[in-house]
């Protein structure tokens, strides 16, 4: 189903980040990982991933991505 397809895409994205060491897309990958965790009823992991995404996006100076992570955290009802 869709969750399995999403999980595969998220794993592929994480693999790319980890393999090539490109950190700029990592907050976006963390947001996707958080959404997947929330879909699997793992709100604790979702909250941690979103907190990490917010912190990294802030460190990178990518305000739009930070706001997106904050918005997703609010929509999921988790603290990010």
């Amino acid at each position: 189903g869709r969750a399995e397809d999403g999980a595969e895409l998220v794993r592929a994205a994480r693999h790319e980040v980890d393999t090539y060491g490109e950190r700029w897309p990592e907050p976006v990958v963390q947001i996707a990982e958080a959404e997947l965790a929330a879909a699997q009823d793992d709100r604790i992991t979702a909250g941690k991933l979103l907190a990490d995404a917010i912190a990294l996006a802030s460190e990178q100076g990518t305000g739009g991505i930070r706001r997106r992570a904050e918005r997703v955290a609010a929509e999921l009802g988790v603290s990010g």
Side-chain angles (χ1 to χ4, degrees), residues 3-26:
E4 294 83 19
D5 292 343
E8 185 176 327
L9 292 171
V10 169
R11 279 192 300 274
R14 169 55 63 193
H15 176 74
E16 289 291 313
V17 167
D18 292 345
T19 298
Y20 299 106
E22 291 287 340
R23 306 321 305 173
W24 65 267
E26 188 163 15

Side-chain angles (χ1 to χ4, degrees), residues 25-77:
E26 188 163 15
V28 176
V29 174
Q30 290 170 320
I31 293 167
E33 290 170 331
E35 291 175 315
L36 181 61
Q40 296 170 337
D41 293 324
D42 188 351
R43 297 169 57 77
I44 293 170
T45 298
K48 288 178 183 177
L49 285 163
L50 288 166
D52 289 348
I54 291 165
L56 184 54
S58 295
E59 181 182 313
Q60 292 176 337
T62 52
I65 293 173
R66 186 196 78 241
R67 287 187 297 276
R68 178 176 170 202
E70 291 169 341
R71 190 170 47 250
V72 170
E75 290 169 0
L76 296 177

